[in-house]
Amino acid sequence: EPARHHDESDHEEFLDPDEVDEEQILEEDGDMMEEEDDENGEEAQEYDADGNPIDDEMVELHDDSVQGFFTHKEPVYDVALHPIHQNIAVSGGGDDKSYLWRLYDGEQLYEFGGHSDSVTQVAFSVDGTYVASGSMDGKVRVWKSETGEFVCELEGPDEVVWINWHPKGNIILAGATDSSVWMWAVPSGAFMNVFNGHSGPVTSGMFTPDGKKIVTVSEDTSLIVWDPKTAAAVHRITSEDARFHSDVITCLAVNKDSTLAMTGSADGTAKLINIHSGNILGSFENHTDAVETVGFSDHLNLASTGSLDGRLNIWDVQTMQLRTTCEHKGPIIKAQWHKAQPWITSCSADRSVQVWDGRTGQNLKIWLGHQDAVLSFAMTNDGLTCVTGSDDGCALVFRMVDN
């Protein structure tokens, strides 16, 4: 439910029993008038929040994108950019396929098939040599990005929720709904390790930026820090610790120094964890709904939490204090800090992608063009181009343009 504004009264209003019949008659008359409008081929005028009439054609035509990729025809669940050749994108979706395509002209380079269910995540290896797709069919498939040549198919998990490449080599992780995490070598496809310790779907996971540890979180309210070589759990935190989450953990981030992890949960809070000691350092509490995305700035001592309540909160990591709040008109699905600037981009079910100054909360850009929720995006390293994937079946390209 929407958060209640502070100036709203808390009293409840009740109908007088003598007025019920009149209210019902008025409602029925209103319904009849709407039906008559429909029969006459006229639709009731819709108005926006400011009372201005909404022009459907204008809404449809409002498109800030400079290019797009429209082959999926089903929801585009994930997009990623080549780490070196940033004019190349990969997108994966509900059509069980992923595609490699060019940003500047939307031209398809390669179609990657072989899955029998939706592609949930796509990712390039650290140097861009390989591109992988993870699917609900339980498989991870890998291709050479330059030639489109199929390399290997990795099997073992149930439905794949996420995939993550090692930051320094051709090793890939996958987390699954069956509570397991798998690791393979590429291009051989050799199985390296399986990590068992969660008791519910593994909602997020990754190698630490230094490549020395793996951190995963689960619907079972647990976080585990793993040794990649031995698959041993180094630290484990669960809801048995009253300071930790009381509900499903939805998201995870690790800072660039590989010292801190941040978790977001359906309980509306985010927790800060010391990866080396396994200690809970604190809790970020300001949301009124589930936290869906968390992240650390590489430039400033700031962190972010994005929630279904539509708010993107920016926090001071040192003091654990709230610095500023940015607001969407719908649930926030993903947020990500820029590599080159102290900016942060967020996408939402309100169909927009927005760029904010993480220091002040100032809105720098609003991109419109999708006809449904924006599910994913990727930013170029210079922070000037954004590629998006949406429930409307399209991937769009947006650019920062000086006003």
Side-chain angles (χ1 to χ4, degrees):
E1 294 180 358
R4 174 174 288 179
H5 295 291
H6 296 296
D7 59 352
E8 290 183 356
S9 67
D10 289 331
H11 74 275
E12 297 184 50
E13 295 183 0
F14 296 92
L15 276 178
D16 188 313
D18 296 331
E19 297 176 356
V20 172
D21 291 341
E22 184 179 348
E23 292 284 343
Q24 289 176 342
I25 291 169
L26 287 172
E27 288 176 5
E28 289 170 2
D29 284 347
D31 291 341
M32 289 174 64
M33 288 174 67
E34 288 179 8
E35 288 174 6
E36 287 175 5
D37 285 343
D38 291 340
E39 289 172 2
N40 295 330
E42 298 177 5
E43 293 185 2
Q45 176 66 58
E46 293 185 2
Y47 296 86
D48 64 19
D50 299 321
N52 301 313
I54 296 174
D55 187 332
D56 287 340
E57 289 187 11
M58 288 301 292
V59 170
E60 271 186 42
L61 292 173
H62 193 105
D63 186 359
D64 300 314
S65 66
V66 296
Q67 193 50 260
F69 183 76
F70 309 103
T71 306
H72 281 287
K73 308 293 192 231
E74 293 287 341
V76 180
Y77 293 121
D78 197 25
V79 293
L81 287 169
H82 193 290
I84 299 169
H85 306 297
Q86 298 230 288
N87 62 325
I88 303 295
V90 63
S91 54
D95 56 356
D96 309 346
K97 295 177 181 178
S98 52
Y99 296 90
L100 203 69
W101 51 280
R102 284 195 303 250
L103 267 58
Y104 64 83
D105 61 2
E107 186 72 23
Q108 176 182 318
L109 300 176
Y110 303 112
E111 175 184 314
F112 301 136
H115 288 296
S116 58
D117 208 335
S118 296
V119 174
T120 52
Q121 196 159 26
V122 289
F124 287 96
S125 60
V126 63
D127 64 357
T129 299
Y130 302 106
V131 59
S133 61
S135 168
M136 292 176 67
D137 66 7
K139 299 173 183 176
V140 176
R141 292 174 64 82
V142 183
W143 295 265
K144 287 185 179 178
S145 61
E146 187 173 347
T147 63
E149 177 189 347
F150 176 69
V151 176
C152 59
E153 181 176 273
L154 312 172
E155 294 187 77
D158 193 352
E159 298 179 5
V160 174
V161 180
W162 54 266
I163 56 176
N164 180 252
W165 287 92
H166 193 281
K168 298 178 181 178
N170 296 321
I171 296 172
I172 193 166
L173 271 181
T177 56
D178 63 6
S179 78
S180 65
V181 178
W182 296 68
M183 185 170 72
W184 303 271
V186 174
S188 68
F191 164 79
M192 295 182 71
N193 255 326
V194 62
F195 303 82
N196 290 309
H198 291 295
S199 59
V202 186
T203 51
S204 185
M206 64 190 70
F207 288 102
T208 53
D210 62 11
K212 296 180 180 178
K213 294 286 190 294
I214 293 170
V215 185
T216 59
V217 294
S218 169
E219 286 188 9
D220 66 8
T221 73
S222 69
L223 171 144
I224 302 178
V225 179
W226 308 88
D227 182 328
K229 295 180 180 178
T230 65
V234 180
H235 300 294
R236 178 184 174 90
I237 309 172
T238 72
S239 56
E240 291 179 2
D241 187 327
R243 298 171 300 162
F244 203 50
H245 294 295
S246 60
D247 205 342
V248 170
I249 301 177
T250 58
C251 50
L252 168 73
V254 176
N255 70 342
K256 66 175 182 178
D257 297 328
S258 303
T259 56
L260 299 173
M262 192 174 182
T263 56
S265 168
D267 65 14
T269 71
K271 309 295 182 183
L272 191 65
I273 312 296
N274 183 310
I275 291 175
H276 297 314
S277 67
N279 291 332
I280 302 171
L281 302 178
S283 182
F284 301 97
E285 302 180 6
N286 184 256
H287 291 290
T288 57
D289 208 334
V291 175
E292 288 292 301
T293 179
V294 292
F296 290 98
S297 168
D298 286 348
H299 302 276
L300 304 167
N301 206 24
L302 299 176
S304 59
T305 56
S307 168
L308 294 181
D309 65 13
R311 289 184 293 176
L312 175 66
N313 286 333
I314 310 297
W315 305 84
D316 186 307
V317 176
Q318 197 70 36
T319 64
M320 304 286 294
Q321 296 299 306
L322 180 65
R323 286 280 294 267
T324 187
T325 297
C326 315
E327 293 198 41
H328 274 269
K329 294 180 180 178
I332 292 176
I333 296 172
K334 178 182 177 180
Q336 185 174 315
W337 290 88
H338 290 216
K339 293 184 178 180
Q341 303 96 346
W343 300 347
I344 185 169
T345 298
S346 55
C347 68
S348 166
D350 68 8
R351 309 180 185 186
S352 76
V353 182
Q354 304 195 35
V355 184
W356 317 83
D357 187 324
R359 299 163 296 188
T360 63
Q362 177 189 0
N363 186 282
L364 303 176
K365 183 65 70 174
I366 299 176
W367 286 313
L368 298 172
H370 283 295
Q371 300 300 308
D372 210 331
V374 184
L375 305 177
S376 181
F377 68 87
M379 298 293 303
T380 52
N381 292 336
D382 63 11
L384 301 181
T385 303
C386 180
V387 181
T388 59
S390 167
D391 243 339
D392 64 11
C394 301
L396 298 179
V397 182
F398 299 94
R399 291 209 172 94
M400 294 287 285
V401 179
D402 295 332
N403 294 324

